[in-house]
Amino acid sequence: MRALVQDRYGSCSIRSIPAPVAGDGQVLVRVAAASVNAYDWHVMRGDPRFARLSIGLRRPKTRVRGRDFAGQVVAAGPGVSSFEPGDEVFGDAGQADGAFAEYIAISQDLVVHRPSALTPSEAAAIPLAGVTALQGLSAVLPGHTVLINGASGGVGTFAVQLATAAGAAVTAVCSTRNVELVKSLGASSVIDYRHTDFAADGARYDAVLDLVGNRSLSTLRGALSPGGTLILSGGGTYQGGSLLGPMRLILRAGLTSRLTRQRISILTATTSQKDLSTLAGMAADGRLKPVIDRTFPLAAAAEAISYLETEHARAKVVITV
């Protein structure tokens, strides 16, 4: 099969490799579409270097890139009870990766049936970004005020919709070209960061979800109400390599959280079948709509990662197989 293979940090290429086989509790899926996440370029670059403790010191532990996918089950391994050949599914391979390929073998616990209301590309756009937004906003209640920094990105576009669906009043921070997009997703108000600093107007929020990592911890905390919650979820851009990257802000937040009444949540999303099912249900009844910026063919998967990394892509970037 064809797949995007990486043998060292800094580069990857499309090659022919043996197709995987469904093992115990796994399904083999013929991939129709996969989506790109910031996670993918971080692994491709091996950046920040601190992350190599978990993804591989000298080279990536996994050779085929990609987490999110949608496709059709073509085989079920021993012990699989929830799926059979012909089922349309989508899911997240987690750090096992392998989605930027023609086939992927994955645990049945990490996939769900694809609603007929979603195309494969739309379904592939959901898993990691959708679950990150869902878990990050789990404590948001009706009537809460929520600031989302990075509202037009992959996680941000889901976060705006999920916070709105929860009954919160959402203030979205994005660039000029994305103002109308985030308004259409349900934001009550929008701050164009090219013209206005969200920290300058004195507004305070019940929750601040930071998806960019470009503001200081004190600035982010300053936008919180006294009992508010700050949710941090990575961010950062590639600037030639770093030791800690966005982890610097997260590590500082972990220390500060012990000394303040404000709650600081460091979000490490873990995809579950339960959360995928929740998102699938919301997408099926129209409460959640994946937004796709661009699509690339599998042959251009490396370019898709580069586009997400360097071009300030809005919403999701999808690879079709």
Side-chain angles (χ1 to χ4, degrees), residues 47-235:
D47 182 71
R49 290 188 294 277
F50 181 81
R52 298 186 188 186
L53 294 174
S54 62
I55 63 176
L57 289 175
R58 297 178 179 272
R59 62 185 64 84
K61 293 178 180 178
T62 57
R63 298 179 67 218
V64 180
R65 295 278 61 77
R67 291 181 57 152
D68 295 347
F69 67 92
Q72 185 179 77
V73 174
V74 295
V80 172
S81 57
S82 303
F83 303 95
E84 59 185 23
D87 286 350
E88 296 289 341
V89 299
F90 72 99
D92 175 3
Q95 292 193 8
D97 280 5
F100 297 163
E102 292 178 315
Y103 294 90
I104 183 171
I106 184 169
S107 169
Q108 66 174 338
D109 297 330
L110 295 176
V111 296
V112 296
H113 289 94
R114 172 171 66 86
S116 59
L118 293 176
T119 67
S121 291
E122 289 172 332
I126 291 176
L128 180 56
V131 168
T132 299
L134 183 68
Q135 294 181 359
L137 298 170
S138 61
V140 169
L141 300 173
H144 276 182
T145 55
V146 179
L147 177 79
I148 300 174
N149 187 31
S152 62
V155 177
T157 49
F158 286 114
V160 171
Q161 296 177 77
L162 290 170
T164 300
V170 176
T171 297
V173 182
C174 64
S175 65
T176 307
R177 75 184 183 110
N178 296 316
V179 168
E180 294 306 316
L181 169 64
V182 297
K183 282 183 179 179
S184 73
L185 297 176
S188 304
S189 62
V190 182
I191 296 174
D192 179 350
Y193 68 76
R194 296 187 184 278
H195 301 287
T196 305
D197 182 357
F198 72 78
D201 63 3
R204 299 292 181 266
Y205 303 87
D206 296 307
V208 173
L209 174 60
D210 180 56
L211 303 168
V212 185
N214 64 344
R215 305 304 299 266
S216 69
L217 183 61
S218 61
T219 296
L220 295 170
R221 289 181 58 211
L224 282 178
S225 61
T229 301
L230 171 62
I231 307 107
L232 301 176
S233 181

Side-chain angles (χ1 to χ4, degrees), residues 243-259:
L243 176 61
L244 295 175
M247 291 297 297
R248 187 185 305 276
L249 174 63
I250 289 172
L251 291 172
R252 185 177 295 120
L255 295 174
T256 303
S257 65
R258 303 179 183 183
L259 307 173

